[in-house]
Amino acid sequence: MQDHELYRRILGIESPWQVERVELRLESGEVHVHLSHEDVKEWACPECGAACRLYDHQAERRWRHLDTCQYQTILHAEPPRTECREHGARVVKLPWAEPSSRFTELFEALAIEWLKAASQKAVAELLKLSWDEIHGIMERAVNRGLKRRKTEAVSRIGVDEKAFRKGHSYMTLVNDLERSRVLYVAEERKQSSLDGFWETLTTEQIAAIEAVAMDMWDPFISSVEAHLPDAAKKIVFDKFHVAQHLGEAVDQVRRNESKTLKAAGDDRLTGTRYDWLRNRAAMEPRDRREFDALRQSGLKTARAWALKETAMALYNYVYERPARKHFRWWQNWALRSRLKPVIAVARMLRRRFEYIITYLRHRITNAASESLNAKIQWVKYTARGFRNKQNFIHAIYFHCGGLDLAPQATK
Ligand SMILES: [Zn+2]
């Protein structure tokens, strides 16, 4: 078998394409395979498939292919252009590569498989690719996947924000709480960030959304209210964010009180910060006995803590009416507590209450996407090469979007 035939077989090159010349460049460790085509009367227009005559050829292009043994393998060809009556001169579809890529589909498929399992840095080194090339492969894969995504119904979603580079700027994420995947990513956390999500959905898909878990963040609320019919019955403020606000109030009370006590030589509250934030039921018996003495002490911190625990009991109710009654009672107690941080949170919860009580109907939190969060953390951790947010967004879709990423020909 001649090396032409060998390469034709290895590369899976089919008629009318043929291997014209194989050139081994030992010093650079490369094999260059030059392709040409037989004289074909008709070529399919890439747009409409109509049989058209050959118009001309583009200048020679190159595509990186899978290595042959240790040699980087590069295909060369002059892509033919057809002349379609309707679409004019167009480059024909090449069987080995997608139109915009400098890699063959098989090479991209390999890179995609590796990128799923290893960091971008590792794949870049192993396959000798630049950051831009890695990002190009990921971007094409994501675009392919998003185009293939079905317009199926998603009934419960979570809207979340993520910090991109410590404290600087944010991203908006929409998660499918049922299938644990990211549906949408956008820059910033403005109303317009979330507005873009609704444009990706069909009217039927929007109608199928039953509940939205989210933080108490006005721009997101405005976007949901503007796009989701009956939003008032569907928005559920995240339970853990409610707990977090209350926890911060307890901590504020503790800090103030601890200072006053210390000045009087009383260090009962010193070093207790985490005891007030922890779950009492999960404490060791001895710790719990100590903590119980503290929480029954009549200290302001103990009162703030009791208020927090009582507020969270709201989530144990099954029916809305007694839950509303519980909250009204709690609110009166909180507002009369003379504990400023608690009063501030009580006012906020009162203002937001209609979107808190919806929890009893839908029972969702953003925590359903914790496993996703872990994946996103991994993406952030392994991708120190992100030069811009767009690359980060592609990487989130790539790893967390549940997308079908492979090039068409390799499936
Ligand atoms: Zn055409």
Side-chain angles (χ1 to χ4, degrees):
M1 200 188 291
Q2 282 202 323
D3 58 356
H4 292 193
E5 179 61 10
L6 176 69
Y7 267 96
R8 190 187 69 74
R9 294 260 178 105
I10 290 176
L11 300 173
I13 298 298
E14 282 174 16
S15 173
W17 291 95
Q18 58 202 11
V19 175
E20 187 182 283
R21 184 156 59 87
V22 178
E23 182 194 341
L24 187 60
R25 295 188 193 164
L26 285 174
E27 71 291 354
S28 55
E30 292 170 354
V31 188
H32 289 257
V33 181
H34 296 262
L35 304 174
S36 63
H37 62 80
E38 298 155 9
D39 275 337
V40 182
K41 287 227 167 61
E42 289 174 331
W43 294 84
C45 164
E47 211 62 43
C48 64
C52 311
R53 70 175 189 89
L54 180 68
Y55 179 66
D56 65 356
H57 289 90
Q58 280 190 312
E60 186 185 88
R61 286 182 53 196
R62 358 183 332 155
W63 296 265
R64 168 106 185 259
H65 191 55
L66 299 175
D67 291 0
T68 348
C69 297
Q70 74 274 39
Y71 291 96
Q72 260 191 33
T73 304
I74 292 134
L75 307 188
H76 297 246
E78 294 175 1
R81 294 203 299 169
T82 57
E83 191 177 30
C84 175
R85 262 194 213 147
E86 183 146 7
H87 300 102
R90 293 291 171 95
V91 180
V92 305
K93 266 189 197 143
L94 300 171
W96 58 85
E98 289 185 350
S100 54
S101 180
R102 289 186 292 129
F103 305 100
T104 67
E105 295 198 355
L106 281 170
F107 183 87
E108 289 212 13
L110 174 81
I112 288 167
E113 280 310 305
W114 284 20
L115 281 165
K116 282 183 191 169
S119 72
Q120 298 184 14
K121 187 165 179 280
V123 177
E125 278 168 15
L126 279 164
L127 292 179
K128 297 191 179 66
L129 292 170
S130 69
W131 283 112
D132 284 343
E133 289 171 329
I134 289 273
H135 292 148
I137 288 171
M138 292 179 83
E139 183 176 353
R140 275 191 297 280
V142 165
N143 289 339
R144 224 178 269 133
L146 288 175
K147 228 180 264 168
R148 286 175 187 157
R149 197 177 246 177
K150 296 187 186 77
T151 54
E152 69 228 311
V154 177
S155 62
R156 288 128 65 94
I157 59 175
V159 179
D160 216 349
E161 59 180 45
K162 270 262 157 295
F164 173 77
R165 293 208 189 102
K166 266 175 217 152
H168 282 298
S169 50
Y170 286 88
M171 322 270 278
T172 298
L173 266 74
V174 182
N175 301 324
D176 174 350
L177 296 181
E178 280 151 1
R179 295 180 194 82
S180 218
R181 58 182 176 151
V182 173
L183 293 174
Y184 184 75
V185 195
E187 294 186 28
E188 317 285 347
R189 49 170 180 169
K190 300 179 188 157
Q191 181 175 344
S192 57
S193 317
L194 185 54
D195 283 346
F197 166 65
W198 308 101
E199 289 160 22
T200 68
L201 303 179
T202 62
T203 319
E204 291 77 25
Q205 281 180 302
I206 292 179
I209 295 174
E210 288 165 15
V212 186
M214 58 200 278
D215 195 2
M216 295 180 247
W217 179 245
D218 285 327
F220 288 167
I221 299 167
S222 304
S223 179
V224 177
E225 287 176 338
H227 293 91
L228 189 63
D230 257 340
K233 290 179 186 157
K234 298 173 184 171
I235 292 176
V236 182
F237 284 138
D238 189 54
K239 177 180 163 180
F240 297 103
H241 283 116
V242 172
Q244 198 184 336
H245 285 293
L246 286 160
E248 277 161 15
V250 174
D251 198 47
Q252 190 62 49
V253 172
R254 180 198 58 80
R255 266 186 287 161
N256 295 343
E257 190 173 35
S258 182
K259 230 183 267 166
T260 318
L261 289 182
K262 253 192 195 159
D266 181 344
D267 62 357
R268 266 183 295 169
L269 285 175
T270 309
T272 65
R273 179 175 181 205
Y274 291 102
D275 295 332
W276 300 102
L277 301 175
R278 275 164 69 192
N279 178 3
R280 182 179 161 275
M283 289 179 182
E284 297 286 331
R286 220 191 71 189
D287 292 350
R288 195 184 311 151
R289 273 196 301 279
E290 276 178 23
F291 180 68
D292 283 350
L294 209 51
R295 75 186 177 89
Q296 286 155 5
S297 62
L299 288 173
K300 285 179 183 169
T301 311
R303 216 152 24 93
W305 181 85
L307 275 156
K308 177 199 166 200
E309 295 294 306
T310 312
M312 293 309 288
L314 179 79
Y315 288 96
N316 300 330
Y317 281 90
V318 176
Y319 299 108
E320 217 172 296
R321 267 180 62 158
R324 284 179 184 277
K325 208 173 147 195
H326 172 87
F327 183 76
R328 274 197 300 276
W329 170 78
W330 175 83
Q331 182 192 295
N332 287 333
W333 177 24
L335 293 175
R336 282 186 281 107
S337 68
R338 280 174 283 129
L339 303 169
K340 272 189 189 156
V342 176
I343 292 171
V345 176
R347 289 205 175 114
M348 184 188 67
L349 297 183
R350 178 172 61 183
R351 193 155 49 87
R352 310 288 202 185
F353 189 66
E354 289 311 313
Y355 287 160
I356 292 174
I357 192 79
T358 42
Y359 176 85
L360 300 189
R361 212 172 305 142
H362 299 297
R363 309 239 159 223
I364 54 167
T365 72
N366 256 337
S369 52
E370 277 306 312
S371 60
L372 264 185
N373 284 338
K375 258 196 212 171
I376 293 165
Q377 280 313 112
W378 180 82
V379 171
K380 259 169 99 170
Y381 177 75
T382 55
R384 269 158 262 157
F386 290 132
R387 251 168 275 146
N388 61 51
K389 279 192 184 177
Q390 209 50 49
N391 291 339
F392 186 51
I393 289 176
H394 288 141
I396 293 175
Y397 277 125
F398 187 95
H399 291 284
C400 314
L403 296 171
D404 176 6
L405 301 165
Q408 193 59 44
T410 62
K411 284 158 59 87

